[in-house]
Amino acid sequence: MNGNPFLTLGYGGPEYFCDRQQETAKLIEALTNGRNVALISPRRLGKTGLIKHVFHYLQEENRNRRCFYLDIYSTQNQVELVQLMAQTILGTLDGYSEKIMSRISMFFKSCRPVFSMDPYSGVPQISLDIQPQSSSHSLKEIMEYMKASTHECFIAIDEFQQILEYPEEGTEALLRSVAQFAPNVHFVYAGSKQHLMSEIFASQKRPFYQCTQKMGLEPLDKEIYCQFAQELMHGGGKELPASVFNTAYDLAHGFTYYIQDIMNRLYAQGHSSITINHLHQVVRDIIEEGEMVYKDYCDLLAKGQLKLLYAIAKEDVVQKPFDATFLQKYRLTALSSVKLALSTLVKNGIVSKSPDGYFIYDRYLSLWLSR
């Protein structure tokens, strides 16, 4: 691979993927032994990269396997979910030959397959013309089509908690049902909102209760990640002191996306020896780039929420947000208002909670507020 080795988008192969050896082995072992997995992790910690890393090895081990990744964050209802599944799976599963297209046309009864060509790549595409009242039948037909295939299939549905926003009732039960009767199809249900994912998979009242193996992700080990970054830098003729990497890691709270972004920019600067001053300049540049967006974002917050957010940013991590010392320091006078503000910020994913305390999830927003 040419260019910058610190990837911020996509998956470039094992040589550009740091560690996660235990998680990779655990996920592969579960899937290849017929256990579906609920992978619960905050965004930007490397969840998607891990899935694609696992898919790489699954297909490398057996070329007859087929792996499909769906991000359903932008879907608004069950019909859009089924359409996305159809676009991702049909055709790709068995190819785009005339025989396969004929088979697909004959297989689907509840909806009409639509064949087209991507105007940019020229690759054939398949979508389903689905009526809202037929989406359940269409989903079942997709699964039946996969079940009839000679391939072992692996499907990752990312941002899985989005199904709770669908207006249709019974989407959870439907997905649980179709997965149950397709022994050659295995699922990773990945989600970034822990309380919603727990509601789906840990509640005795929900269809997915005790149907999956549950996995979480922690930040990468700092020492291992540092060595990985130093090796990539060395490959480009650059020296990265551990102290510089460790500072970047701490600023990012170990979140993979932010560390990769910072390392990517440091690599791009062309310095043969990277210093702490280079790091601070990169961080300043990033914050300045986002300043207009951050200002608009903060304008949308209630006054009490913004005041609390500012206080958390100044502290970086707050162990006891209702402690009198913290409240007095930042003139947060009404305890009930602080509790409501914190609850809202956590619910909306703006503030997260770790074993060390509460912190602002968007690390660049936090740094901008603190400065």
Side-chain angles (χ1 to χ4, degrees):
M1 174 181 174
N2 297 320
N4 199 312
F6 292 95
L7 305 181
T8 58
L9 292 172
Y11 174 73
E15 61 268 39
Y16 303 104
F17 185 84
C18 181
D19 195 31
R20 298 285 187 210
Q21 294 181 10
Q22 292 184 357
E23 296 92 334
T24 299
K26 186 176 181 181
L27 194 49
I28 289 175
E29 189 274 332
L31 293 172
T32 54
N33 284 279
R35 301 194 304 275
N36 296 331
V37 176
L39 179 60
I40 305 172
S41 162
R43 287 183 297 116
R44 300 180 178 176
L45 200 57
K47 169 169 46 68
T48 302
L50 173 62
I51 291 170
K52 294 186 176 181
H53 189 59
V54 165
F55 280 2
H56 169 83
Y57 282 113
L58 286 172
Q59 292 181 298
E60 185 179 66
E61 185 180 275
N62 186 339
R63 294 298 179 183
N64 195 48
R65 288 170 173 165
R66 297 292 183 268
C67 297
F68 306 98
Y69 171 83
L70 295 80
D71 185 343
I72 67 169
Y73 182 74
S74 62
T75 60
Q76 302 298 311
N77 51 55
Q78 189 171 288
V79 173
E80 291 183 6
L81 168 66
V82 178
Q83 287 174 332
L84 180 60
M85 290 188 75
Q87 291 167 1
T88 304
I89 295 168
L90 300 182
T92 306
L93 179 60
D94 292 305
Y96 285 98
S97 69
E98 187 174 332
K99 180 180 179 181
I100 294 299
M101 291 183 181
S102 176
R103 176 171 172 250
I104 290 173
S105 297
M106 295 176 60
F107 196 93
F108 287 88
K109 307 299 183 183
S110 67
C111 56
R112 182 172 62 89
V114 178
F115 302 94
S116 61
M117 301 289 286
D118 186 291
Y120 299 103
S121 66
V123 175
Q125 291 181 321
I126 301 175
S127 60
L128 297 181
D129 184 11
I130 303 169
Q131 299 300 314
Q133 66 272 17
S134 304
S135 61
S136 296
H137 293 294
S138 300
L139 178 59
K140 291 176 182 177
E141 287 174 344
I142 291 173
M143 294 305 299
E144 286 296 325
Y145 183 80
M146 298 183 76
K147 183 179 177 181
S149 169
T150 59
H151 302 291
E152 186 176 19
C153 300
F154 301 85
I155 302 176
I157 305 179
D158 208 351
E159 300 299 343
F160 188 71
Q161 73 278 343
Q162 182 65 20
I163 65 171
L164 297 179
E165 302 293 329
Y166 293 171
E168 299 92 348
E169 294 183 5
T171 301
E172 284 179 70
L174 175 64
L175 288 169
R176 164 72 175 86
S177 175
V178 297
Q180 185 177 9
F181 297 107
N184 64 318
V185 184
H186 316 292
F187 287 86
V188 178
Y189 305 104
S192 60
K193 295 187 177 180
Q194 184 169 347
H195 64 292
L196 296 179
M197 290 292 285
S198 295
E199 184 180 335
I200 294 172
F201 292 100
S203 171
Q204 297 182 23
K205 300 177 182 179
R206 313 297 285 238
F208 276 99
Y209 178 66
Q210 290 189 338
C211 291
T212 61
Q213 177 175 327
K214 284 170 274 297
M215 276 184 62
L217 288 185
E218 297 293 331
L220 287 164
D221 179 86
K222 184 189 288 187
E223 187 173 335
I224 292 174
Y225 203 170
C226 179
Q227 184 176 351
F228 169 81
Q230 287 177 321
E231 289 175 356
L232 290 185
M233 288 287 188
H234 183 72
K238 305 172 192 301
E239 181 184 350
L240 176 68
S243 59
V244 175
F245 176 86
N246 291 341
T247 300
Y249 184 100
D250 293 340
L251 287 172
H253 282 209
F255 278 75
T256 310
Y257 168 79
Y258 299 105
I259 299 170
Q260 288 289 113
D261 188 37
I262 292 170
M263 292 297 118
N264 178 288
R265 292 167 183 253
L266 286 172
Y267 186 95
Q269 286 190 333
H271 303 294
S272 59
S273 182
I274 298 170
T275 68
I276 196 70
N277 289 333
H278 294 143
L279 170 63
H280 290 320
Q281 184 59 55
V282 160
V283 173
R284 281 194 295 269
D285 291 343
I286 292 171
I287 293 172
E288 288 176 6
E289 289 170 12
E291 186 166 25
M292 186 177 296
V293 174
Y294 298 144
K295 285 180 177 178
D296 290 342
Y297 183 76
C298 289
D299 285 342
L300 299 175
L301 296 176
K303 185 177 180 180
Q305 294 173 17
L306 182 56
K307 194 172 182 180
L308 177 59
L309 205 63
Y310 170 81
I312 295 173
K314 283 291 184 181
E315 296 292 317
D316 193 38
V317 179
V318 178
Q319 182 72 45
K320 299 178 180 179
F322 309 129
D323 184 77
T325 303
F326 173 72
L327 297 176
Q328 290 171 6
K329 181 177 180 179
Y330 294 100
R331 299 180 181 179
L332 302 168
T333 53
L335 179 59
S336 59
S337 298
V338 173
K339 288 183 177 180
L340 178 60
L342 182 62
S343 174
T344 303
L345 292 170
V346 170
K347 181 180 179 181
N348 292 335
I350 302 169
V351 170
S352 296
K353 190 176 188 301
S354 72
D356 295 326
Y358 293 91
F359 65 95
I360 297 173
Y361 173 74
D362 186 329
R363 301 311 305 146
Y364 294 154
L365 172 62
S366 181
L367 293 170
W368 177 75
L369 284 168
S370 69
R371 295 182 183 185

